[in-house]
Every structure is written in C-alpha cells, then in structure tokens.
Amino acid sequence: MRKYIVAGNWKMNKNVIEAQQLMSQLLDYKKQNPSNCEVYIAPPALYLMMAKEIYENNEIGVFAQDMSEYESGAYTGEISVGMLESIDADGAIIAHSERRQYHGETDSHANRKVKALLDKGLTPIYCNGETLEQRKSGQHFEVVKNQTETALFTLSAEEIKKVIIAYEPVWAIGTGETASPEQAQEIHAHIRSLIAAKYGQEVADEISILYGGSVKPDNAKEIFSQPDIDGGLIGGAALKLEDFSKIIEAFN
Ligand code: 13P
C-alpha cells in the first residue's frame, strides 16, 4: 500500500524563533490529533537539526529543500547527503521548480541527487511539472514524461519504489491558481502509467504521487480524493498551523 503524505515546503521563510514555534506547535497538534497520513516538513537547511531535535521520536518527517549531488569538497554554500544522513534527516526535495528556475537545476542533476539519496537510505521527493506556456501549447503530458524518465528511469524497481513524486505545475505554485482536481488527476495517472509501463503495475501502485500548487484548506479534500493523488506538497499554507492542520485533516 502506498503512503498518504502531507508535506510542508517552507521555502525561504521564518527566522529561528518563528521556525521553532511552528515546529513545536505542529508537534503538539500531531500528538493530540492522530492523522491518517504521514506529515513531513522541509524547513530551511539552517533549521534541520532543530527539527530533528524537536521531533526526537520521528513524529514528523524532516526533509531538506535541496542538496548537492556531490559527496563533499569545495562546493561553497551546498549541503551533502552525508550531512543529512549524519543528522538523521529523512530525505530531501529534489528539482523543485524554483531550483530549476533560479539555479539551473535539470533532470540530469535530479537523477544524480535522487540516486545519492537512495544510496544512503534517504527518501527523495522528486518534483516535476510543466510551465504555463507548456500547458497552453498542450505539451504537458510530454514534458512530464521527459522529466520523469530522465530523472528516475535509470533506477531499479526496488529503488524507484522508495521515491516520492510531487507533480507541481509551475503555473499553480504560489499563484492561488490550482490545477482542477481533474487536471491534476490526469497527470498523476499519466505518471503512474509511465512507471507501470517501465516497471510493472505493482511497482507503480506503491509509489506516492503528491500534488503541489496552491493547495489550501478549502480545496485539499477534493484534490486528495482523486484516485492517483496521494497527498500534497504544500507551500504557503504550510507556514501557519491553522491552515496546515486543516490540510492534514482533509485525509480524515
Ligand atoms: P504553494 O502551495 O505556495 O503554491 O507552493 C507549492 C510548492 O511549491 C510546494 O513545493
């Protein structure tokens, strides 16, 4: 059975006091409200260790927002998978569209990063999704296919089963414009069918595919009710417990 997941990508938000407050609030909430899905956060790298200390019993999964494809060395500003492993982090988001847009991340980079995480037993949350232009010109199925194949299809069946995929149409991120549940579902089903064609249906059925892009308390339930949508990667609405908790409760 695949996992249902609500993951909060905090992006570049919150000072240390605010980060600690939200992490603690989320822990208290989680203790009082057992959820039907797994809950993860991806705070800025600076706060990952603090998150691991607050969630000492792994109540909430802790993910980096990116990491280097290299093991160590002269890569100023980067963090490595070995560093994440050494603080017992759960994994990292890979190839978020903002990393693609502002830092030249490609699916070839993503491929190496995903493999580096899996080799150390950590979990990648691999992001893909088309731009508005690509959607308008009807290329979205093809774009997502190429991205997924380049980033993931060198993996073995055992490896790909451990990857979480997040479909995040770029035009829906931070814009308040969400893909309709039907638009999201058809791409999720498409991604799952690509995996099924390459690795078999059983493998495809085990992979959690999350939707990201303006998920809010008032649309989460409808989005998550689609058969191939196994949860969400949440940006803005992950920054306040009030909103994030309602999204978690969309699985109840
Ligand atoms: P928003 O929920 O703010 O649209 O961000 C989505 C996202 O990019 C999550 O990674």
Side-chain angles (χ1 to χ4, degrees):
M1 260 300 284
R2 56 192 187 243
K3 290 180 192 160
Y4 298 103
I5 299 163
V6 171
N9 174 8
W10 290 13
K11 307 190 181 183
M12 197 176 72
N13 290 293
K14 299 198 179 289
N15 67 28
V16 68
I17 307 284
E18 293 162 345
Q20 187 191 26
Q21 267 173 0
L22 181 55
M23 285 176 195
S24 302
Q25 285 174 348
L26 193 54
L27 179 60
D28 290 344
Y29 165 81
K30 190 77 172 29
K31 282 184 178 160
Q32 286 158 23
N33 302 275
S35 52
N36 289 336
C37 59
E38 303 212 350
V39 179
Y40 304 159
I41 60 164
L46 192 58
Y47 310 144
L48 287 169
M49 270 183 84
M50 179 169 76
K52 284 307 300 186
E53 280 162 20
I54 293 175
Y55 306 136
E56 57 182 354
N57 297 315
N58 299 318
E59 297 90 342
I60 289 169
V62 175
F63 285 72
Q65 296 177 9
D66 183 37
M67 51 146 240
S68 171
E69 65 186 90
Y70 302 110
E71 262 177 47
S72 64
Y75 301 101
T76 301
E78 296 283 336
I79 58 170
S80 71
V81 65
M83 294 173 192
L84 294 176
E85 186 190 29
S86 72
I87 65 158
D88 204 21
D90 296 278
I93 296 173
I94 298 296
H96 189 278
S97 66
E98 288 147 20
R99 299 298 311 175
R100 294 174 187 261
Q101 184 179 352
Y102 304 123
H103 302 274
E105 179 103 2
T106 66
D107 286 290
S108 306
H109 294 120
N111 176 257
R112 296 190 287 275
K113 292 182 180 188
V114 164
K115 182 75 175 124
L117 281 161
L118 293 171
D119 284 348
K120 294 259 193 231
L122 277 73
T123 302
I125 302 179
Y126 163 71
C127 302
N128 58 17
E130 79 286 357
T131 62
L132 184 59
E133 242 173 40
Q134 290 165 334
R135 173 151 292 255
K136 278 189 173 158
S137 58
Q139 296 173 67
H140 40 296
F141 287 100
E142 193 60 24
V143 167
V144 170
K145 175 174 187 278
N146 290 337
Q147 290 174 331
T148 308
E149 286 178 352
T150 307
L152 303 183
F153 280 14
T154 58
L155 301 175
S156 69
E158 279 315 303
E159 286 173 330
I160 201 167
K161 276 190 205 172
K162 296 178 186 139
V163 176
I164 297 165
I165 298 174
Y167 168 62
E168 299 205 318
V170 178
W171 48 273
I173 295 176
T175 57
E177 190 173 341
T178 338
S180 69
E182 295 73 27
Q183 281 175 323
Q185 165 58 27
E186 69 176 1
I187 297 282
H188 282 234
H190 172 60
I191 295 171
R192 206 180 298 286
S193 75
L194 294 169
I195 297 167
K198 165 98 178 152
Y199 294 97
Q201 193 63 47
E202 208 177 305
V203 172
D205 284 340
E206 274 198 42
I207 296 180
S208 301
I209 308 179
L210 314 183
Y211 169 78
S214 299
V215 178
K216 305 287 177 210
D218 60 0
N219 60 20
K221 210 174 185 77
E222 205 188 352
I223 294 170
F224 298 166
S225 68
Q226 299 297 316
D228 287 293
I229 301 182
D230 308 311
L233 184 55
I234 319 299
L239 298 174
K240 278 206 304 217
L241 180 69
E242 199 191 334
D243 292 341
F244 195 53
S245 59
K246 287 192 185 125
I247 294 172
I248 294 168
E249 284 158 22
F251 272 109
N252 291 356

